[in-house]
Amino acid sequence: MILELADKRAEILRTPLQKFDFQNPPCDPRILYTDLAETMNKHNGLGLSANQVGIPYRVFVMRASPVIGCFNPVVVDQSIETWVDEEGCLSFPGIVVKVRRPVKIKVRFADALGETSTHVFAGLTARIFLHELDHINGRLFTESATNLELALAIKRAKKKSNATYVIGDLR
């Protein structure tokens, strides 16, 4: 089922989420995974966290074949080497800012069946994972930008579409 994206001003986007409890699941994790994946694909996203659709659990999906579902993810190690690249977000259409992220990360998460595994991601996959991890920690990608950078991002977004943003929407 395609889920509705939360409004850019929704408090849940700025709130750290609770762990998904596989012992006493609040919903069927396989259905949650499928719904998040379908919603991400519908909106042509690279990732989608549960709070972006109003669900308060530490879960996100990332574009891959098949889509990677990450329940209760953690970073267990990361490279010292970093890189800066532009990021956008389904919750803030049209807004693009530069964000510094580690080049390589080692992560642990459970899949929709509750099986935990460890993975190493690099480059864009690491960036997507960290962007979505920030989401479930209540942190927005725009928090890495200065007010001037955000003002310029808003100006660019307004030129490309009828986007209506103020700095407060992005903090």
Side-chain angles (χ1 to χ4, degrees):
M1 171 174 37
I2 305 299
L3 305 171
E4 185 175 337
L5 294 174
D7 181 80
K8 64 186 173 242
R9 293 176 190 91
E11 189 59 35
I12 195 166
L13 293 175
R14 293 155 179 83
T15 304
L17 305 181
Q18 58 188 304
K19 285 182 86 168
F20 188 92
D21 184 355
F22 282 98
Q23 301 304 314
N24 186 23
C27 61
D28 185 327
R30 295 165 300 174
I31 293 173
L32 177 56
Y33 161 79
T34 300
D35 289 351
L36 288 172
E38 288 176 0
T39 304
M40 175 189 68
N41 288 331
K42 165 77 172 151
H43 293 284
N44 200 29
L46 297 177
L48 182 70
S49 64
N51 58 339
Q52 288 179 275
V53 292
I55 299 171
Y57 304 110
R58 297 183 63 79
V59 180
F60 61 79
V61 294
M62 301 190 311
R63 184 175 300 279
S65 186
V67 171
I68 299 170
C70 303
F71 287 72
N72 304 324
V74 294
V75 174
V76 294
D77 197 13
Q78 64 185 35
S79 66
I80 294 172
E81 183 184 1
T82 61
W83 64 303
V84 176
D85 201 5
E86 292 183 335
E87 291 185 21
C89 183
L90 292 176
S91 294
F92 302 95
I95 298 296
V96 176
V97 297
K98 291 184 178 183
V99 180
R100 178 175 300 280
R101 303 258 187 212
V103 170
K104 188 175 178 182
I105 57 176
K106 183 177 183 181
V107 299
R108 186 170 300 122
F109 57 86
D111 63 17
L113 300 175
E115 300 295 323
T116 301
S117 57
T118 302
H119 304 267
V120 174
F121 296 135
L124 182 59
T125 306
R127 180 171 293 280
I128 296 166
F129 187 97
L130 293 169
H131 178 105
E132 299 308 327
L133 185 65
D134 279 352
H135 264 303
I136 65 175
N137 287 332
R139 180 175 163 80
L140 302 176
F141 76 116
T142 54
E143 291 178 32
S144 299
T146 65
N147 282 343
L148 176 59
E149 290 167 329
L150 287 179
L152 291 171
I154 289 169
K155 187 175 182 178
R156 287 190 303 268
K158 285 180 181 177
K159 275 185 175 180
K160 289 182 180 179
S161 69
N162 291 334
T164 56
Y165 289 101
V166 295
I167 296 285
D169 293 340
L170 306 175
R171 291 284 189 206

